[in-house]
Amino acid sequence: VTIKRDSGFFFFFCLTRVYIDGKEIADLDTSEKVVIYPTLGNHVFSAWPKGVCGGGMVEVTGAVTKENPLTYRIGYGTNGDFGLYPTAF
């Protein structure tokens, strides 16, 4: 499972904490990524902006299999909404 953070200019001064099943995994800065190898099955992936940046915790579920890698993107939309999204890139 790859979780990466956008490289955008907005909110570049805040780290984003990444979780899997409620356990802290990493703090990501802009343009950083983390690759994790959880057990097979369903998991909850979460992200929470640290510091003064807006937005609360966001979560998505994903089914980890041997056949299909999962990739998620953390970012802020043009209206400032914080999100964790499945991505093909």
Side-chain angles (χ1 to χ4, degrees):
V1 177
T2 302
I3 301 175
K4 54 189 171 180
R5 185 156 166 214
D6 284 354
S7 60
F9 178 73
F10 294 106
F11 303 102
F12 69 91
F13 46 85
C14 293
L15 295 174
T16 299
R17 181 156 293 160
V18 175
Y19 301 81
I20 179 171
D21 298 328
K23 295 181 181 97
E24 294 178 10
I25 299 299
D27 288 336
L28 298 181
D29 208 341
T30 54
S31 300
E32 289 186 330
K33 71 177 180 179
V34 62
V35 179
I36 53 179
Y37 300 91
T39 58
L40 299 180
N42 293 319
H43 295 279
V44 177
F45 304 100
S46 311
W48 194 342
K50 294 179 63 182
V52 297
C53 292
M57 181 175 281
V58 292
E59 298 181 304
V60 297
T61 58
V64 175
T65 66
K66 289 182 182 180
E67 296 81 23
N68 297 318
L70 298 176
T71 304
Y72 296 97
R73 178 183 64 81
I74 299 169
Y76 287 88
T78 55
N79 59 358
D81 287 347
F82 179 72
L84 175 61
Y85 311 99
T87 183
F89 300 96

